[in-house]
Amino acid sequence: MTAAIETRGLRKRYRRVEALRGIDFEVPEGSICGFLGPNGAGKSTTMEILMGLIRPSAGWVSILGDDLGGDGLMTRSRVGYLPQDPSFFRRAKVRGILRFVARRYLNGTRAALDSRVDETLDLVGLTDLADRKVKALSGGELRRLGISQAIIGNPDLLILDEPSVGLDPEGRHQVLTLLDRLKEEMTIFYSSHILDDVERIADHIVVIDRGEIVEQGPMDRYLGGRGVYRVTLEGGNGDGVLRDLAQEPWVDAVTSMGGQEWRIETPDRAIAENRLMPFLVANEDARVVALRPAYRSLEDLYMELVGDADDD
Amino acid sequence: MTTDADIATSIDRVGPLQGLGGMLGVEFRVWFPLRSVLLIVVGLIIFGIMYAPWSAAPNSSVDPGFGFLLLGFLAVWSTILLISAVSLSEGAVLGEITRGTAGWLAAMPIRRASVIVAKFTAAAIGYAVIIFVTGSLVYPILAHAVDMGGTGFRAWEVVQVTQSPIGMWGRFADLPDFGRYLAMLLAIWATVVFIIAVMMLLGTLLRSRTAVFGLGVVLVGVIVGSALIGGQSVGSTPAGAVWAVLQTAWGNDVALLTPIMSTLFLSILVLGAAVWSFDRRELA
């Protein structure tokens, strides 16, 4: 598979601090890749190098197949970027900002560009704020403007630094839904501290800690068995209930763990959530005391990899 | 029905000053409605209106034949312009960097050179408007004051109204013709443009706006000081341009074109250095 982003031996030193220590990673084209790591691990530095905002001390970067050794201007015309702290012309209006950005990335008539602006405003739910000045936007609205200016040019690669930080739950949900939609059209590389969000939509992860890549690969490699649960039943005829459950076509296996505890395997998490819980709750022969996932979550993996660093 | 004209397509090539047009649009919108610019224009006109009769008024030290009016006016006027250029452009580059907008712009398909060139061009054009419009408006006022200095009587009436504490009464040197007066304004503009270019360069090199402003003020001091005390030795430098303006205002016949051209050439060199430096500046 072609890599949308590829780095080799990427280093960045700020006087005495080595922010990146020769990192190698790849983001496959067409993937939605979560970039994880504790504060100060080097996520933003990496993204700033990818965008040509800072220069690496050593190493090599390729974006969409282009070596970033040159000015990278044509490559940047295919990349949308949301920085961690987006900053725009404060006296401009939301629509003005998007018009300005659209003209940098797109050719077309004024009507065509305005149409793209309207479409993007609608996509991020900013239509009602189109004529509001940037300086009057809240933090969450500013972030949505940041996302909209990153996607307005129909980029092939979207680089987002903490896209959902500072958003309320509804805003976060909107961003996730948007990214889920956009992944059909572009490669998305985004950093986040919200592991549930990454687990929900990413199909690839890169984990960085103290300037070094500690893990990277397809999500399924790490989070296999996402439809596996442990259930504890009490009273009545638990064995009978589980025997019935094992007959269901959407259940792969039911194994006794000893005592009143069983391990139930289903093909995936959605089936487990949609069918397993209603089935167990509906039975009248035994009471469900506990039902918990028996698979490794992204949080488990993350804590295994960088848990010590977060404790520092 | 949607036609091809209704669809925006991705750009397929980039030019040597990619994004310059858009950046110029932004900079002009920033520059022209700026309250500070209006304040400078109005301030300069009021200064011209007040200064002329104030200088033309009689006082105890009557010194007929002392040609002081235009010299005094342009010395103060150009110092105000140079300081205002420092003040307005100290944050042009560094302000964008510290706010994060420079990084936002640089992440787009916009050449960094376009950002600097657009800021410089907008400021240079803005100051051309300020200097030539207000300078042209002040010229007839100065001419009228020269006339008043010749008679003294009407100037005295003016000072009664303005309550000026000090005044000069004298026969002023003749004003140069309007063409030469415009050349003097051009020399002041060239010096302002040089200051703006230096401020851009300092903005790409330093990390503190206070330091940029301080060095800018020192530079103005050096230029004006050299022009006042350096005499002909300041030659074809920005100080030489100011010196040539003052000499012309004094009534001496000195070349204006050479210091103007050399100052503009120096400005382009400094601007080139600013572009080079900004291209290497980290915008995290």
Side-chain angles (χ1 to χ4, degrees), chain B residues 69-104:
Chain B
L69 180 73
L70 185 61
L71 178 70
F73 172 73
L74 287 180
V76 176
W77 203 63
S78 49
T79 305
I80 293 172
L81 280 166
L82 293 177
I83 294 290
S84 75
V86 168
S87 174
L88 285 184
S89 54
E90 56 88 14
V93 176
L94 198 52
E96 298 269 24
I97 294 173
T98 50
R99 280 193 299 274
T101 39
W104 172 59

CSV table of all heavy atoms in Angstrom, one decimal, chain B residues 69-104:
chain,number,residue,atom,x,y,z
B,69,LEU,N,10.7,78.4,7.6
B,69,LEU,CA,9.4,77.8,7.7
B,69,LEU,C,9.4,76.3,7.1
B,69,LEU,O,9.1,75.4,7.8
B,69,LEU,CB,8.4,78.6,6.9
B,69,LEU,CG,7.0,78.1,6.9
B,69,LEU,CD1,6.3,78.2,8.2
B,69,LEU,CD2,6.1,78.7,5.8
B,70,LEU,N,9.8,76.2,5.9
B,70,LEU,CA,9.7,74.9,5.2
B,70,LEU,C,10.7,73.9,5.9
B,70,LEU,O,10.4,72.7,6.1
B,70,LEU,CB,10.0,75.0,3.7
B,70,LEU,CG,9.8,73.7,2.9
B,70,LEU,CD1,8.4,73.2,3.0
B,70,LEU,CD2,10.2,73.9,1.5
B,71,LEU,N,11.8,74.4,6.2
B,71,LEU,CA,12.8,73.5,6.9
B,71,LEU,C,12.3,73.0,8.2
B,71,LEU,O,12.4,71.7,8.4
B,71,LEU,CB,14.1,74.4,7.2
B,71,LEU,CG,15.2,73.7,7.9
B,71,LEU,CD1,15.9,72.6,7.0
B,71,LEU,CD2,16.3,74.6,8.4
B,72,GLY,N,11.8,73.8,9.0
B,72,GLY,CA,11.3,73.4,10.3
B,72,GLY,C,10.1,72.4,10.1
B,72,GLY,O,10.0,71.4,10.8
B,73,PHE,N,9.2,72.8,9.2
B,73,PHE,CA,8.1,71.9,9.0
B,73,PHE,C,8.5,70.5,8.5
B,73,PHE,O,8.0,69.5,9.1
B,73,PHE,CB,7.2,72.6,7.9
B,73,PHE,CG,6.1,71.7,7.5
B,73,PHE,CD1,5.0,71.4,8.3
B,73,PHE,CD2,6.1,71.0,6.2
B,73,PHE,CE1,4.0,70.6,7.9
B,73,PHE,CE2,5.1,70.2,5.9
B,73,PHE,CZ,4.0,70.0,6.7
B,74,LEU,N,9.4,70.4,7.5
B,74,LEU,CA,9.7,69.1,7.0
B,74,LEU,C,10.5,68.3,8.0
B,74,LEU,O,10.4,67.1,8.0
B,74,LEU,CB,10.4,69.3,5.7
B,74,LEU,CG,9.5,69.7,4.5
B,74,LEU,CD1,10.3,69.8,3.2
B,74,LEU,CD2,8.4,68.7,4.3
B,75,ALA,N,11.4,69.0,8.8
B,75,ALA,CA,12.2,68.3,9.8
B,75,ALA,C,11.3,67.6,10.8
B,75,ALA,O,11.4,66.4,11.1
B,75,ALA,CB,13.1,69.2,10.5
B,76,VAL,N,10.3,68.3,11.3
B,76,VAL,CA,9.4,67.7,12.3
B,76,VAL,C,8.4,66.7,11.6
B,76,VAL,O,8.2,65.6,12.1
B,76,VAL,CB,8.5,68.8,12.9
B,76,VAL,CG1,7.5,68.2,13.9
B,76,VAL,CG2,9.4,69.8,13.7
B,77,TRP,N,8.0,67.1,10.4
B,77,TRP,CA,7.0,66.2,9.7
B,77,TRP,C,7.6,64.9,9.4
B,77,TRP,O,7.0,63.8,9.6
B,77,TRP,CB,6.6,67.0,8.4
B,77,TRP,CG,5.3,66.6,7.8
B,77,TRP,CD1,4.1,66.7,8.4
B,77,TRP,CD2,5.1,66.1,6.5
B,77,TRP,NE1,3.1,66.3,7.5
B,77,TRP,CE2,3.8,65.9,6.3
B,77,TRP,CE3,6.0,65.7,5.5
B,77,TRP,CZ2,3.2,65.4,5.2
B,77,TRP,CZ3,5.5,65.2,4.3
B,77,TRP,CH2,4.1,65.0,4.2
B,78,SER,N,8.9,64.9,8.8
B,78,SER,CA,9.5,63.6,8.4
B,78,SER,C,9.8,62.8,9.7
B,78,SER,O,9.8,61.5,9.6
B,78,SER,CB,10.7,63.8,7.6
B,78,SER,OG,11.5,64.8,8.1
B,79,THR,N,10.2,63.4,10.8
B,79,THR,CA,10.5,62.6,12.0
B,79,THR,C,9.2,61.9,12.5
B,79,THR,O,9.2,60.8,12.8
B,79,THR,CB,11.0,63.6,13.1
B,79,THR,OG1,12.2,64.3,12.6
B,79,THR,CG2,11.4,62.8,14.3
B,80,ILE,N,8.1,62.7,12.4
B,80,ILE,CA,6.8,62.1,12.8
B,80,ILE,C,6.5,60.9,11.9
B,80,ILE,O,6.1,59.8,12.4
B,80,ILE,CB,5.6,63.1,12.7
B,80,ILE,CG1,5.8,64.2,13.8
B,80,ILE,CG2,4.3,62.4,12.9
B,80,ILE,CD1,4.8,65.3,13.6
B,81,LEU,N,6.7,61.1,10.6
B,81,LEU,CA,6.4,60.0,9.7
B,81,LEU,C,7.3,58.8,9.9
B,81,LEU,O,6.9,57.6,9.9
B,81,LEU,CB,6.7,60.5,8.2
B,81,LEU,CG,5.5,61.3,7.7
B,81,LEU,CD1,5.9,62.0,6.4
B,81,LEU,CD2,4.3,60.4,7.4
B,82,LEU,N,8.6,59.0,10.2
B,82,LEU,CA,9.5,57.9,10.4
B,82,LEU,C,9.2,57.1,11.7
B,82,LEU,O,9.2,55.9,11.7
B,82,LEU,CB,11.0,58.4,10.5
B,82,LEU,CG,11.5,59.0,9.2
B,82,LEU,CD1,12.9,59.5,9.4
B,82,LEU,CD2,11.6,57.9,8.1
B,83,ILE,N,8.8,57.9,12.8
B,83,ILE,CA,8.5,57.2,14.0
B,83,ILE,C,7.2,56.4,13.8
B,83,ILE,O,7.0,55.3,14.3
B,83,ILE,CB,8.3,58.3,15.2
B,83,ILE,CG1,9.7,58.9,15.5
B,83,ILE,CG2,7.7,57.6,16.4
B,83,ILE,CD1,10.7,58.0,16.2
B,84,SER,N,6.2,57.0,13.1
B,84,SER,CA,5.0,56.3,12.9
B,84,SER,C,5.2,55.1,12.0
B,84,SER,O,4.5,54.1,12.2
B,84,SER,CB,3.9,57.2,12.2
B,84,SER,OG,4.2,57.4,10.8
B,85,ALA,N,6.2,55.1,11.1
B,85,ALA,CA,6.5,53.9,10.3
B,85,ALA,C,7.0,52.8,11.2
B,85,ALA,O,6.7,51.7,11.0
B,85,ALA,CB,7.5,54.3,9.2
B,86,VAL,N,7.8,53.2,12.2
B,86,VAL,CA,8.4,52.2,13.1
B,86,VAL,C,7.2,51.6,13.9
B,86,VAL,O,7.1,50.4,14.1
B,86,VAL,CB,9.4,52.9,14.1
B,86,VAL,CG1,9.7,52.0,15.3
B,86,VAL,CG2,10.6,53.3,13.3
B,87,SER,N,6.3,52.5,14.4
B,87,SER,CA,5.2,52.1,15.3
B,87,SER,C,4.2,51.2,14.5
B,87,SER,O,3.8,50.2,15.1
B,87,SER,CB,4.5,53.4,15.8
B,87,SER,OG,3.4,53.0,16.5
B,88,LEU,N,3.9,51.6,13.3
B,88,LEU,CA,2.9,50.8,12.6
B,88,LEU,C,3.5,49.5,12.0
B,88,LEU,O,2.7,48.5,11.8
B,88,LEU,CB,2.4,51.6,11.4
B,88,LEU,CG,1.4,52.7,11.8
B,88,LEU,CD1,0.9,53.4,10.5
B,88,LEU,CD2,0.2,52.2,12.6
B,89,SER,N,4.8,49.4,11.8
B,89,SER,CA,5.3,48.2,11.2
B,89,SER,C,6.1,47.3,12.2
B,89,SER,O,6.5,46.2,11.8
B,89,SER,CB,6.2,48.5,10.0
B,89,SER,OG,7.2,49.4,10.3
B,90,GLU,N,6.2,47.7,13.4
B,90,GLU,CA,6.9,46.8,14.4
B,90,GLU,C,6.3,45.5,14.6
B,90,GLU,O,7.0,44.5,14.8
B,90,GLU,CB,7.2,47.5,15.7
B,90,GLU,CG,5.9,48.0,16.5
B,90,GLU,CD,5.3,47.0,17.4
B,90,GLU,OE1,5.9,46.0,17.6
B,90,GLU,OE2,4.1,47.2,17.7
B,91,GLY,N,5.0,45.4,14.5
B,91,GLY,CA,4.3,44.1,14.7
B,91,GLY,C,3.9,43.4,13.4
B,91,GLY,O,3.2,42.4,13.4
B,92,ALA,N,4.2,44.0,12.2
B,92,ALA,CA,3.7,43.5,11.0
B,92,ALA,C,4.1,42.0,10.8
B,92,ALA,O,3.3,41.2,10.4
B,92,ALA,CB,4.3,44.4,9.8
B,93,VAL,N,5.4,41.7,11.0
B,93,VAL,CA,5.8,40.3,10.8
B,93,VAL,C,5.8,39.6,12.2
B,93,VAL,O,5.2,38.5,12.3
B,93,VAL,CB,7.2,40.3,10.2
B,93,VAL,CG1,7.8,38.9,10.1
B,93,VAL,CG2,7.2,41.0,8.8
B,94,LEU,N,6.4,40.2,13.2
B,94,LEU,CA,6.5,39.5,14.4
B,94,LEU,C,5.2,39.3,15.1
B,94,LEU,O,4.9,38.2,15.7
B,94,LEU,CB,7.5,40.2,15.4
B,94,LEU,CG,8.0,39.4,16.6
B,94,LEU,CD1,8.7,38.1,16.1
B,94,LEU,CD2,9.0,40.3,17.3
B,95,GLY,N,4.3,40.2,14.9
B,95,GLY,CA,2.9,40.1,15.4
B,95,GLY,C,2.2,38.9,14.8
B,95,GLY,O,1.5,38.1,15.5
B,96,GLU,N,2.4,38.7,13.5
B,96,GLU,CA,1.8,37.6,12.8
B,96,GLU,C,2.4,36.3,13.3
B,96,GLU,O,1.7,35.3,13.5
B,96,GLU,CB,2.0,37.7,11.3
B,96,GLU,CG,1.4,38.9,10.6
B,96,GLU,CD,0.0,38.6,10.1
B,96,GLU,OE1,-0.7,37.7,10.6
B,96,GLU,OE2,-0.4,39.4,9.2
B,97,ILE,N,3.7,36.3,13.6
B,97,ILE,CA,4.3,35.1,14.0
B,97,ILE,C,3.8,34.7,15.4
B,97,ILE,O,3.5,33.6,15.7
B,97,ILE,CB,5.9,35.2,14.0
B,97,ILE,CG1,6.4,35.4,12.6
B,97,ILE,CG2,6.6,34.0,14.7
B,97,ILE,CD1,7.8,35.8,12.5
B,98,THR,N,3.8,35.7,16.4
B,98,THR,CA,3.4,35.4,17.7
B,98,THR,C,1.9,35.0,17.8
B,98,THR,O,1.6,34.2,18.7
B,98,THR,CB,3.8,36.5,18.7
B,98,THR,OG1,3.2,37.7,18.1
B,98,THR,CG2,5.2,36.7,18.9
B,99,ARG,N,1.1,35.6,17.0
B,99,ARG,CA,-0.3,35.3,17.0
B,99,ARG,C,-0.6,33.9,16.4
B,99,ARG,O,-1.6,33.3,16.7
B,99,ARG,CB,-1.1,36.4,16.3
B,99,ARG,CG,-1.4,37.6,17.1
B,99,ARG,CD,-2.5,38.5,16.4
B,99,ARG,NE,-2.1,38.9,15.0
B,99,ARG,CZ,-1.3,40.0,14.8
B,99,ARG,NH1,-1.0,40.8,15.8
B,99,ARG,NH2,-1.0,40.3,13.6
B,100,GLY,N,0.3,33.5,15.6
B,100,GLY,CA,0.1,32.2,14.9
B,100,GLY,C,-0.5,32.3,13.5
B,100,GLY,O,-0.6,31.3,12.8
B,101,THR,N,-0.8,33.5,13.1
B,101,THR,CA,-1.4,33.6,11.7
B,101,THR,C,-0.3,33.4,10.7
B,101,THR,O,-0.6,32.9,9.6
B,101,THR,CB,-2.0,35.0,11.5
B,101,THR,OG1,-1.2,36.0,12.2
B,101,THR,CG2,-3.4,35.0,12.1
B,102,ALA,N,0.9,33.7,11.0
B,102,ALA,CA,2.0,33.4,10.0
B,102,ALA,C,2.1,31.9,9.7
B,102,ALA,O,2.3,31.5,8.6
B,102,ALA,CB,3.3,34.0,10.5
B,103,GLY,N,2.0,31.1,10.8
B,103,GLY,CA,2.1,29.7,10.6
B,103,GLY,C,0.9,29.2,9.8
B,103,GLY,O,1.0,28.3,9.0
B,104,TRP,N,-0.3,29.8,10.1
B,104,TRP,CA,-1.5,29.4,9.4
B,104,TRP,C,-1.3,29.7,7.9
B,104,TRP,O,-1.7,28.8,7.0
B,104,TRP,CB,-2.7,30.2,9.9
B,104,TRP,CG,-4.0,30.0,9.2
B,104,TRP,CD1,-4.6,28.9,8.9
B,104,TRP,CD2,-4.7,31.1,8.6
B,104,TRP,NE1,-5.8,29.2,8.2
B,104,TRP,CE2,-5.8,30.5,8.0
B,104,TRP,CE3,-4.6,32.5,8.6
B,104,TRP,CZ2,-6.8,31.3,7.3
B,104,TRP,CZ3,-5.5,33.2,7.9
B,104,TRP,CH2,-6.6,32.6,7.3
